[in-house]
Amino acid sequence: MLKVHQIHKTIEGNDVLQDISFTLERGSIAGMVGRNGVGKSTLLRTIVGIFDPDSGTVTIDDIDVHKNPAIKQKITYVPDSSELLKSYSVKDIVKLYDAVYENFDAGYFYHLMNRFGLPKKKLRSYSKGMKALFHMILSFSTKSEYIILDEPTNGLDPIVKRQILTFIIEEVSERNVCVLISTHHLDEIEKIADTVITLKEGRIGSFTTIEEAKNSFRKVQTVFTDGLPDAVAALPNVKVLNTTGRVTTLLINGNIKESLSVISGFEPLFIEELPMSLEDIFISTLGGEEYVS
Amino acid sequence: MFHKALWMRNYKLSKPVIWALYSAGFFSMPFIFLQKARQTSFYNTNVNASEYYNDFHSANISIFFIIAVVLIASLVIGQERSSHSTDFTFSLPLSRKDIYLSKWLFGVFHITAALAVNIGLSYLIYIFSALNKFEKPNFLGLYFLYAFLFLTAIYTFALFIGTFAGNTVTQIVFSVIFLLFPVGVLGLIGAFIKVHWDLFSSEAYNRVSFGSDLTSIISQWTLPIPLFEFSYYYQSSLGKVSTALDYPPLWVWLVPVIYTSASLAAGLYLFTKTKNENNGRILVFDKLKGFFTFGIVTCFALAGGAFFGDAFDVYGEPNLFSYYMGMLTFGSLSYFGIKHLFKAKLQLNKL
């Protein structure tokens, strides 16, 4: 069990992380989302011991990562840069990982290299997608129980993206590992994650399953004779997503039944529930229209 | 302390300078002695069989070694910070203590090996060449020990600087400044006393002026300086032999031991507390900003005063007005410069 407990981190006088707590179990995929600069990478770096928290703890099976770094045999981190280890050859990297990780499986690593058709050359000659795939393969070959991925699919083409996401799902289901992914791509989270962690202004905004998140929201399209009534727009749990002429798209957060009943009370000409994506939810909860995707 | 993966990593970070260290040793010792042996052989065969002269001055070779060891220290720590490769190293299941000690051991091993290989080769050249007819190269053994102590101390000190310097450039700059700090500060104080002559006795100035007892003691505590003071010569002429081996007194040999012990302990402490979020900046620890601002501005102000005071002297005597103008100008420029630099962040490609 990976437990993050009341992490607080200040950088240059700014409270980048405040009272962050959550627990992740093996066999699950958690997606971490939040706007740029909200502290996602700082949190991941703190979890793997690159940064020290000002207060709070990160434990794996009740062993503190910062006090007992040897426990990091169970956790690997793939940073968001494709520049890492670029001056190394594949052979050198295998030697390096073999010397560091007790359970590193070189056979499995080479098997995956062949499966994804990656050449055994210096990483410098790899494309961005190949590097991302390579680091993913490398981290899973350590046989760690927890894999932390910082924006693993950033800037990759759809084919490589799909390969990576499929690979993650396979690994989690076959080896019972836990994967924590930080990303801006909500569609990816929606496809593969069980849990979504939202970060807002350095704090945990929410920690829910995808289903819970979707069940607590409704997206509806309405048409009123004289436009959206002010009383509806003023409802605290209703957010206007979009207005085109008399057609208004609303997002209802919680108290769905009561809110729909209030809206219906104003006798709309038309009301229809629309399919909802995570993006709708996070645009609404993480910062409105200026949300950066 | 020894970890194969960290060893590989350190080698990758510093490979070009490691080879430069071995090369510097080769071209400054075995290569030179080989040339000497060939010249001696030719001279003794064709000109005079009994005339012989040989000398060895560490001053000729030490500078290359010093540059190399400071660069190795700056690459294994500073380069890692500048390229933000610390994300990789610190995410590994290894303690910070092991990471630091492996960097230290790596450098000390290569210093020892570079000296041992090159001094060993030099020894063989002596034994198996015309040089053997005249002298035994016993001074090489002593030089090995002497250079080992001082180069290890310089390396350990530069590595310690890397525990609070945020990138390669600042680590190199701070290493040079702090390695020369004792004599540098004394020079600045001397200039201050000289310009405020009326406030001090002449004795005060004599105490800090060049050549005084105090400056010679302080010089021995300025790590690189004693390394230049090892010399040997041997002369054989008309059957008469004269030889001399000069090096600082034995207490000076303790100076690098003290520097090494203190720097290693302090470096180890700071490295375990490192703030990787400040990698690439001038300083790793925000708390040191005030201290460094004060120190840098003071030193620049004193240096500016000394420079202006001398440049705009009055009948050969330093000018008090110019001195204070220099202090004010350099002090202000360094204050605003350092404020600006504290905000900067250096990032190089990852390794």
Side-chain angles (χ1 to χ4, degrees), chain B residues 19 61 92 126 157 203 262 305 335 349:
Chain B
W19 286 108
I61 61 176
L92 299 175
Y126 262 89
F157 186 74
E203 207 178 305
Y335 177 77
N349 284 335

Side-chain angles (χ1 to χ4, degrees), chain A residues 9 12 45 48-52 69 72-73 81 83-84 86-88 92 95-97 99-101, chain B residues 3-5 8-9 12 87-88 90-96 272 274 276-277 281 286 349-351:
Chain A
K9 176 83 183 159
E12 292 179 5
R45 286 184 170 116
V48 293
I50 298 165
F51 294 170
D52 289 330
K72 288 194 280 183
Q73 286 285 349
S81 169
E83 298 294 298
L84 184 69
K86 70 171 185 181
S87 60
Y88 288 67
D92 285 344
K95 264 193 214 163
L96 187 75
Y97 270 67
V100 172
Y101 291 98
Chain B
H3 199 291
K4 189 182 162 191
M8 288 165 65
R9 181 101 183 106
K12 200 79 182 176
D87 277 16
F88 171 71
F90 279 69
S91 70
L92 299 175
L94 303 166
S95 72
R96 293 181 180 188
T272 55
T274 198
N276 282 324
E277 56 268 32
R281 296 197 182 281
D286 289 334
N349 284 335
K350 292 195 180 188
L351 290 171

Side-chain angles (χ1 to χ4, degrees), chain B residues 40-323:
Chain B
T40 304
S41 176
F42 178 83
Y43 187 78
N44 290 163
T45 311
N46 300 301
V47 185
N48 188 328
S50 60
E51 287 279 329
Y52 175 76
Y53 178 80
N54 187 22
D55 63 355
F56 174 82
H57 295 280
S58 65
N60 297 336
I61 61 176
S62 297
I63 189 70
F64 301 112
F65 282 129
I66 292 168
I67 291 171
V69 299
V70 168
L71 283 179
I72 293 169
S74 303
L75 288 175
V76 295
I77 289 199
Q79 176 71 1
E80 211 175 36
R81 291 194 194 280
S82 301
S83 61
H84 293 262
S85 309
T86 31
D87 277 16
F88 171 71
T89 312
F90 279 69
S91 70
L92 299 175
L94 303 166
S95 72
R96 293 181 180 188
K97 186 179 150 200
D98 281 350
I99 294 171
Y100 188 74
L101 285 177
S102 80
K103 290 179 189 300
W104 181 73
L105 196 66
F106 173 82
V108 173
F109 170 82
H110 282 291
I111 288 168
T112 315
L115 287 171
V117 166
N118 288 303
I119 288 176
L121 275 175
S122 306
Y123 208 88
L124 291 175
I125 290 165
Y126 262 89
I127 290 171
F128 295 108
S129 72
L131 303 178
N132 191 38
K133 280 193 285 181
F134 297 97
E135 55 170 338
K136 295 281 174 277
N138 295 334
F139 72 95
L140 283 174
L142 202 62
Y143 178 68
F144 171 78
L145 185 60
Y146 192 74
F148 165 75
L149 287 173
F150 277 91
L151 290 176
T152 299
I154 292 169
Y155 177 75
T156 312
F157 186 74
L159 206 63
F160 156 64
I161 299 287
T163 60
F164 60 82
N167 61 62
T168 330
V169 177
T170 50
Q171 189 179 351
I172 294 171
V173 171
F174 286 156
S175 296
V176 173
I177 291 172
F178 285 112
L179 278 169
L180 300 173
F181 193 73
V183 285
V185 162
L186 204 66
L188 294 175
I189 293 171
F192 181 82
I193 291 176
K194 196 176 172 188
V195 84
H196 296 86
W197 192 252
D198 48 337
L199 295 179
F200 299 92
S201 63
S202 59
E203 207 178 305
Y205 178 68
N206 289 338
R207 280 176 71 84
V208 297
S209 63
F210 184 73
S212 69
D213 286 349
L214 183 65
T215 49
S216 65
I217 290 170
I218 294 290
S219 319
Q220 304 299 345
W221 281 92
T222 305
L223 265 185
I225 291 177
L227 195 51
F228 292 88
E229 293 175 353
F230 187 100
S231 66
Y232 162 81
Y233 94 93
Y234 181 97
Q235 186 171 22
S236 168
S237 177
L238 303 168
K240 195 179 161 195
V241 171
S242 59
T243 183
L245 180 61
D246 286 327
Y247 50 84
L250 282 177
W251 71 264
V252 177
W253 293 54
L254 282 176
V255 169
V257 176
I258 294 165
Y259 262 99
T260 302
S261 315
S263 303
L264 186 62
L268 205 51
Y269 174 76
L270 289 181
F271 196 75
T272 55
K273 306 275 175 204
T274 198
K275 300 275 183 193
N276 282 324
E277 56 268 32
N278 289 329
N279 287 346
R281 296 197 182 281
I282 290 203
L283 291 171
V284 169
F285 299 100
D286 289 334
K287 284 179 183 169
L288 292 178
K289 278 183 183 173
F291 171 76
F292 266 77
T293 305
F294 174 78
I296 288 168
V297 171
T298 307
C299 287
F300 266 87
L302 287 171
F307 175 70
F308 270 50
D310 270 346
F312 304 101
D313 60 343
V314 176
Y315 303 116
E317 287 300 313
N319 180 346
L320 199 62
F321 177 73
S322 306
Y323 186 90

